[in-house]
Amino acid sequence: MPWDPTLYHKFQSERFAPFDDLLELVNMRGGLRVIDLGCGTGELTARLAGALPESDVVGIDNSQEMLSRAEEYSRPGIRFELCPIEGVTGEWDLIFSNAALQWVEDHVSLVPRLVEMLRPGGQLVVQVPSNFRHPTQSLVRDLAAEEPFQSALDGWSRTSPVLSIEEYAELLYSSGGRELTVYEKVYPHILEDVDALADWTSGTVLVPYFERFSAEMREVFMARYRERLRLRYPSSPIFFGFRRTLFAATRDA
């Protein structure tokens, strides 16, 4: 997908806020073999590496645009590679992912495969947005089912693969995960107006829709999307409660 690092970073502080909660779930120790799935522009991978002394940390992403930004954080013990999450192999002491696995389908198969790649005693630590029922996203799906967008998309619309916290807990345990932590948290953000809300969505949820639209169709879609948002949020500023799921598990030794 054609990611725009500048647009994504427009709300950098809000998007990075869950990282601190996720980092608290990591069993801190040194000398680990670590992979960060969906490293983006690399800032948080560098912070992760800084918390794990003498570890070998690799950040992977399938966006060359993001990795171009990440290269400035390369140093001994931390590197970045172009690779889809589905293509990751090997054995790891820590598999870490902050807001990336929501772009990978079939979590029922994905989570056990990630646990299987852990060395005995290794840890899987993940955060995924679980905000797909929020009006900002349900409006996208509603519009995608209307013309002219339905024809332009050939009937396509994206369904989030993110599971419930109960499903993740059961899946982690059945895959050999122990010392489980699984919870959902709403992160409160205050955005200036509807345009800011639309910009937020444009940097994430709308990316796969945009790559299927012509430039002209994208403008028509965004104009109608902003109209719908104004009806839903007639006053400013806007409280934007963003729901996220965090989980961690250690592979049974």
Side-chain angles (χ1 to χ4, degrees):
M1 292 180 286
W3 287 95
D4 183 342
T6 301
L7 181 58
Y8 186 82
H9 274 200
K10 183 174 181 179
F11 304 99
Q12 178 172 318
S13 61
E14 291 89 349
R15 296 194 195 280
F16 287 4
F19 175 84
D20 292 328
D21 290 332
L22 197 61
L23 195 60
E24 288 184 2
L25 298 180
V26 175
N27 296 328
M28 298 297 184
R29 51 198 176 101
L32 302 180
R33 188 164 188 256
V34 180
I35 188 165
D36 182 9
L37 307 179
C39 63
T41 49
E43 298 96 328
L44 299 183
T45 309
R47 284 185 57 189
L48 176 64
L52 302 170
E54 299 180 3
S55 293
D56 180 32
V57 180
V58 56
I60 65 107
D61 206 284
N62 66 354
S63 169
Q64 188 60 63
E65 293 85 358
M66 292 290 196
L67 290 175
S68 295
R69 294 277 191 96
E71 278 305 319
E72 66 178 284
Y73 298 100
S74 294
R75 58 174 174 75
I78 178 171
R79 66 188 187 279
F80 299 93
E81 298 178 1
L82 182 67
C83 177
I85 292 172
E86 299 91 330
V88 170
T89 58
E91 294 184 342
W92 307 90
D93 297 303
L94 172 63
I95 299 176
F96 185 93
S97 185
N98 182 57
L101 295 191
Q102 72 273 14
W103 297 112
V104 182
E105 302 299 329
D106 190 10
H107 284 202
V108 172
S109 298
L110 174 66
V111 170
R113 189 171 73 82
L114 294 178
V115 173
E116 188 176 353
M117 285 192 287
L118 292 172
R119 292 170 173 169
Q123 193 181 25
L124 173 65
V125 180
V126 171
Q127 182 268 120
V128 287
S130 49
N131 217 40
F132 47 87
R133 288 183 290 271
H134 192 273
T136 53
Q137 297 197 31
S138 60
L139 285 175
V140 170
R141 295 189 294 272
D142 291 346
L143 282 174
E146 298 177 7
E147 295 296 351
F149 313 118
Q150 186 177 44
S151 294
L153 294 165
D154 196 23
W156 178 88
S157 181
R158 189 168 194 274
T159 301
S160 173
V162 174
L163 306 175
S164 69
I165 56 175
E166 294 85 3
E167 289 171 313
Y168 280 123
E170 293 175 6
L171 193 55
L172 289 165
Y173 186 83
S174 65
S175 303
R178 298 296 181 265
E179 301 176 26
L180 304 184
T181 300
V182 185
Y183 68 95
E184 198 169 47
K185 178 176 177 178
V186 174
Y187 291 83
H189 306 310
I190 308 301
L191 301 188
E192 182 179 358
D193 52 25
V194 160
D195 289 331
L197 201 57
D199 286 346
W200 178 296
T201 312
S202 296
T204 52
V205 176
L206 284 171
V207 171
Y209 291 85
F210 287 165
E211 71 175 350
R212 291 169 167 83
F213 284 150
S214 65
E216 180 181 359
M217 188 64 69
R218 173 177 172 173
E219 291 182 8
V220 174
F221 186 95
M222 285 306 298
R224 197 178 298 182
Y225 181 57
R226 291 175 195 274
E227 289 176 4
R228 298 287 176 88
L229 285 176
R230 288 189 180 94
L231 291 174
R232 178 63 176 79
Y233 300 99
S235 59
S236 298
I238 297 171
F239 176 84
F240 184 33
F242 200 102
R243 188 185 302 269
R244 297 178 184 271
T245 294
L246 298 90
F247 62 81
T250 300
R251 183 173 183 180
D252 195 350

